[in-house]
């Protein structure tokens, strides 16, 4: 069994053929898929636009792999409708599964690591602010790579670890995205799959024994 866990793809327009090709290959190599939040960019796209975009070419493959779709903070449940079934067999905010010796808890991460935009209601933040933020994020990742992600967002993972101490039981591992800073921390029962936009795709493989293998590939964006 080869379970793919990927989050924060933030699929948006314009369509990226290189990003699509990598995602298609990764998904095709898996037996099952968990889309762990922020699959599409609900702050910059309407759900109709996303469904009609070229990203829909991924949908049949995701259905074939019995994808479980977990809502994030950029693709909140209120942003979409029952047509999420076009690319997933189950839609939820939290999913649990026993694999090997561990019980994995899959959530996007915004519940335990709240950010400023998580405290808003469903109204979308100003488009110009989001576009500027995305542009800055893109160039910082391009020039400084994972160093930028860890320096800027790694501390947020520590906040999540601290908050989870109150609720995790022995043998449970919390798997999230959200912060965009990858982290494999089994002693603290915490795993972050990273981010998949702005030139980098990060994901996890989990095998039938519960072994976790973080992966990463860079592309031109």
């Amino acid at each position: 069994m080869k379970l793919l866990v990927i989050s924060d793809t933030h699929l948006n327009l314009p369509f990226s053929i290189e990003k699509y090709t990598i995602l298609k290959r990764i998904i095709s190599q898996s037996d099952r898929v968990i889309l762990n939040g922020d699959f599409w960019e609900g702050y910059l796209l309407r759900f109709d636009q996303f469904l009609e975009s070229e990203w829909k070419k991924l949908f049949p493959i995701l259905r074939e792999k019995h994808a479980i779709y977990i809502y994030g903070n950029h693709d909140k449940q209120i942003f979409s409708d029952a047509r999420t079934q076009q690319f997933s067999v189950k839609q939820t905010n939290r999913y649990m599964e026993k694999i090997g010796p561990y019980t994995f808890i899959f959530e996007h991460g915004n519940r335990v690591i709240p950010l400023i935009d998580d405290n808003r209601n469903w109204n979308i933040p100003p488009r110009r602010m989001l576009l500027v933020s995305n542009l800055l994020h893109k160039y910082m990742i391009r020039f400084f790579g994972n160093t930028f992600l860890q320096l800027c967002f790694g501390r947020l993972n520590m906040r999540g670890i601290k908050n989870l101490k109150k609720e995790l039981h022995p043998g449970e591992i919390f798997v999230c995205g959200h912060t965009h800073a990858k982290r494999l921390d089994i002693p603290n029962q915490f795993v972050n799959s990273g981010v998949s936009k702005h030139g980098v795709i990060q994901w996890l493989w989990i095998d039938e024994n519960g072994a976790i293998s973080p992966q990463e590939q860079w592309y031109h964006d």
Side-chain angles (χ1 to χ4, degrees), residues 116-196:
I116 293 173
D117 62 346
D118 300 326
N119 296 321
R120 293 176 175 267
N121 58 22
W122 64 269
N123 291 319
I124 297 174
R127 182 179 179 85
R128 181 177 296 180
M129 180 182 74
L130 289 168
L131 291 173
V132 170
S133 175
N134 265 341
L135 190 62
L136 289 172
H137 198 168
K138 174 179 178 177
Y139 284 106
M140 292 301 285
I141 289 177
R142 177 174 295 178
F143 289 111
F144 300 106
N146 280 314
T147 300
F148 162 72
L149 293 170
Q150 293 299 327
L151 285 175
C152 290
F153 307 119
R155 59 185 176 80
L156 296 174
N157 286 334
M158 297 308 298
R159 184 190 303 174
I161 289 170
K162 180 179 178 181
N163 291 338
L164 286 163
K165 290 289 186 184
K166 310 166 188 175
E167 60 181 74
L168 290 178
H169 297 100
E172 293 181 338
I173 295 180
F174 188 85
V175 182
C176 67
H178 186 49
T179 71
H180 296 188
K182 63 181 182 179
R183 185 182 181 99
L184 177 62
D185 190 344
I186 300 302
N188 280 311
Q189 302 171 262
F190 182 89
V191 180
N192 190 308
S193 58
V195 64
S196 292

Side-chain angles (χ1 to χ4, degrees), residues 1 23 25 38 62 64 74 96 107 115 146 153 165 185 191 206 216:
M1 190 272 289
L23 289 174
R25 174 179 55 80
D38 288 0
L62 288 167
E64 178 187 339
H74 281 239
M96 298 178 66
E107 288 187 32
L115 304 177
N146 280 314
F153 307 119
K165 290 289 186 184
D185 190 344
V191 180
I206 301 179
E216 177 178 292

Side-chain angles (χ1 to χ4, degrees), residues 23-81:
L23 289 174
K24 179 182 178 182
R25 174 179 55 80
I26 295 168
I27 295 166
S28 298
Q29 291 173 347
S30 70
D31 295 308
R32 293 190 295 119
V33 177
I34 292 180
L35 301 170
N36 205 4
D38 288 0
F39 176 51
W40 62 286
E41 183 48 80
Y43 283 174
L44 295 172
L45 282 181
R46 299 190 312 274
F47 192 49
D48 283 342
Q49 288 178 296
F50 173 61
L51 294 178
E52 293 165 5
S53 73
E54 290 188 80
W55 295 115
K56 67 184 179 183
K57 293 187 288 188
L58 290 173
F59 296 177
I61 314 169
L62 288 167
R63 284 283 305 185
E64 178 187 339
K65 301 298 182 178
H66 306 285
I68 294 170
Y69 175 40
I70 296 172
Y71 299 107
N73 58 314
H74 281 239
D75 58 354
K76 298 175 184 178
Q77 185 173 0
I78 198 169
F79 293 171
S80 60
D81 54 41

